């Protein structure tokens, strides 16, 4: 199994079109990453929901999903369902974050997502973060837009159980949604687990990777004569 994450992880950037996107798509990954890298700096940008109950839920949820992290949450007031019409404001917010530093990992929506807000944000990400490891999360919904992922993070059952519990605890405004329930979250995690020889998993999409090969210290690259 190939580990794509760096040995040192100082900064994570989280991107979501709506409050709850990040936690639904990558809540298990956040729990695992923040515990594996204590004190990691996490910045989250959410495009919609500012000044509403959704923002309150999001701030509380991301605090719970990022234990021990130095967390900054920025929530904008773009209208839900109208992000494409406010492309300039969204892009400016993304560029402002880019100017503030280099994240080691970017987590955001996938470009094939059928929701117009998700898709618009996903298409912006590589224009601002061209040389960064970017994981695109998936959200199960009625559009039927799930694609075959390329990266998997196995989740132990207690981690998945914790993720589901935190989703239910912090996003009360979403409990009447037909797709927002334990069976949905556990079901997609079970499918992705089967695909990576685990019980449960979260899955992500990666558009581009650059490989670097470094010889082990004290050894010579194979196939070269150094005489």
């Amino acid at each position: 199994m190939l580990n794509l994450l760096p040995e040192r992880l100082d900064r994570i950037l989280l991107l979501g079109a709506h409050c709850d996107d990040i936690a639904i798509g990558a809540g298990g990954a956040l729990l695992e990453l923040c515990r594996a890298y204590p004190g990691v700096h996490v910045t989250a940008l959410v495009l919609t929901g500012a000044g509403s109950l959704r923002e309150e839920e999001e701030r509380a949820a991301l605090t719970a999903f990022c234990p021990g992290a130095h967390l900054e949450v920025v929530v904008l007031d773009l209208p839900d369902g109208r992000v494409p019409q406010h492309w300039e404001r969204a892009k400016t917010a993304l560029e402002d974050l880019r100017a503030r530093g280099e994240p080691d990992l970017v987590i955001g929506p996938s470009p094939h997502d059928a929701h117009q807000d998700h898709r618009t944000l996903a298409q912006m990400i590589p224009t601002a973060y061209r040389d960064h490891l970017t994981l695109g999360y998936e959200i199960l919904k009625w559009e039927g837009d799930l694609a075959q992922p390329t990266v998997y993070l196995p989740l132990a059952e207690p981690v998945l159980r914790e993720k589901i519990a935190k989703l239910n605890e912090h996003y009360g405004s979403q409990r009447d949604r037909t797709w927002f329930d334990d069976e949905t979250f556990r079901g997609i995690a079970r499918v992705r687990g089967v695909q990576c020889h685990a019980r449960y998993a979260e899955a992500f999409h990666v558009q581009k990777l650059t490989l670097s090969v470094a010889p082990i210290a004290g050894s010579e690259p194979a196939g070269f004569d150094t005489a």
Side-chain angles (χ1 to χ4, degrees):
M1 185 177 295
L2 178 63
N3 181 12
L4 299 178
L5 295 176
E7 292 184 9
R8 184 180 180 87
L9 193 66
D10 293 324
R11 296 184 179 276
I12 301 173
L13 175 61
L14 308 175
L15 300 171
H18 312 104
C19 299
D20 76 15
D21 287 352
I22 295 168
I24 291 173
L30 290 179
L31 290 169
E32 295 280 56
L33 287 169
C34 290
R35 287 169 177 153
Y37 300 91
V40 63
H41 290 262
V42 179
T43 300
L45 171 65
V46 182
L47 300 183
T48 66
S52 70
L53 172 61
R54 300 297 314 276
E55 179 180 4
E56 296 177 14
E57 290 180 335
E58 185 76 335
R59 292 185 180 279
L62 291 181
T63 298
F65 275 103
C66 299
H70 298 287
L71 177 66
E72 177 188 7
V73 180
V74 178
V75 182
L76 304 184
D77 61 353
L78 274 61
D80 190 345
R82 297 291 185 270
V83 170
Q85 287 89 335
H86 297 268
W87 186 93
E88 186 172 352
R89 278 196 63 201
K91 181 66 184 301
T92 297
L94 202 60
E95 294 286 359
D96 287 346
L97 282 180
R98 179 70 180 85
R100 289 169 49 188
E102 295 281 351
D104 301 302
L105 174 64
V106 179
I107 301 177
S110 299
H112 65 265
D113 195 305
H115 192 294
Q116 65 271 20
D117 293 350
H118 300 180
R119 187 173 61 253
T120 298
L121 176 56
Q123 291 169 345
M124 290 180 186
I125 295 173
T127 69
Y129 296 92
R130 297 180 180 274
D131 301 315
H132 300 75
L133 175 59
T134 301
L135 300 180
Y137 52 72
E138 57 181 1
I139 298 177
L140 180 61
K141 50 192 179 302
W142 77 272
E143 285 93 341
D145 57 357
L146 292 182
Q148 188 57 44
T150 50
V151 175
Y152 297 83
L153 177 66
L155 297 178
E157 198 279 335
V159 176
L160 177 63
R161 187 169 64 244
E162 182 180 4
K163 172 185 175 177
I164 294 173
K166 290 183 185 301
L167 289 172
N168 284 316
E169 176 184 358
H170 293 290
Y171 294 110
S173 67
Q174 303 303 295
R175 292 191 192 120
D176 62 344
R177 305 278 182 159
T178 57
W179 50 266
F180 193 97
D181 60 34
D182 294 12
E183 286 185 301
T184 297
F185 304 134
R186 187 173 294 271
I188 187 65
R190 180 68 185 111
V191 170
R192 297 317 186 198
V194 168
Q195 293 176 334
C196 68
H197 298 297
R199 185 66 184 173
Y200 301 107
E202 284 180 342
F204 302 89
H205 297 264
V206 174
Q207 290 184 283
K208 186 183 295 185
L209 285 174
T210 300
L211 300 180
S212 175
V213 180
I216 299 174
S219 67
E220 299 294 345
F224 288 87
D225 185 355
T226 60

